[in-house]
Amino acid sequence: MVSYVGVLLYGVGGIVVAGMALLVAFQEKLVYVPVLPGLTKSYPVTPARLRLLYEDVWLRSSDGVRLHAWFIKVLPESRGPTVLFFQENAGNIAHRLEMVRIMIQRLQCNVFMLSYRGYGASDGYPSQHGITKDAQAALDHLSQRTDIDTSRIVVFGRSLGGAVGALLTKNNPDKVAALILENTFTSILDMAGVILPFLKWFIGGTSSKGPKLLNFLVRSPWSTIDVVGQIKQPILFLSGLQDEMVPPFHMQMLYGKAAAHNRECVFVDFPNGMHMDTWLAGGDHYWRTTQQFLEKHVPEIKEHDSSHDDKDIEGR
């Protein structure tokens, strides 16, 4: 009997040690995948291939890392809303161009696509600390532009991009008008058990009932569930119910946490939406939902309305 107990303890100890070794050595490679298998780090296409009007933008993050982005305008003189677009963890911004092309057409918006550090043409190596700085550099750049309406900046994030966008939105209530989250996880701590099931006994977020013995080893926790409840701006949650990467209940938990403190939250699910194609599977319903959200929370200010307001002020 004692020998069996000893073997069991050794086995559990071996799993813990193996889990710790995996986390320490490979966690960045699991969380951040700038290069898809069989492809290169460079952009396979540019917006020019899709006949989009764009400019290459080069930024410096606050710690000096050189970053690249594409700023794509719907029209040269457009004053429509500007979407600050944060991608998922794998590949680069070029792999999102088809979706962004349709976004621009359907929503009549500008789109600023940032390459995180270590992704695309950006320098450096990805980390939560670094990408948080990158996102802030992108928002600061947009806020200083004179060719857009800076009161109509909306953050969009899918998956990892949702975690990035939620934190940025929470930290900038005066610069971000609204947030759109699509297929975003509650935290990397909760996702660890999804990616490597045996880890759920040792790692978990605030909603986890496990002992969380190895949480201290996670360098990029991206705990969106702890951020979303502090966001004051309107939030649109877009959830694909066939998501094969992030369990859909993560989005439901994020909505529940946010809606408890924020009355301007909307949750919409798409029965056939998977992790990457919810925008495609959702079709017209997806785009109409997003358009209605933008029309409500970042409405266009007509020039004659502004002139009318000025006259009212003068009359007083």
Side-chain angles (χ1 to χ4, degrees), residues 181 183 236-241 251 255 265-271 278 285-286 289-290:
L181 296 180
N183 297 338
L236 173 61
F237 296 81
L238 302 171
S239 177
L241 298 185
M251 283 288 285
Y255 170 73
C265 292
V266 179
F267 185 94
V268 183
D269 57 35
F270 300 90
T278 297
H285 179 42
Y286 178 97
T289 297
T290 309

Side-chain angles (χ1 to χ4, degrees), residues 13-34:
I15 291 174
V16 173
V17 171
M20 292 178 68
L22 283 171
L23 280 175
V24 172
F26 300 113
Q27 62 179 272
E28 271 80 18
K29 293 184 178 180
L30 291 172
V31 176
Y32 309 110
V33 189

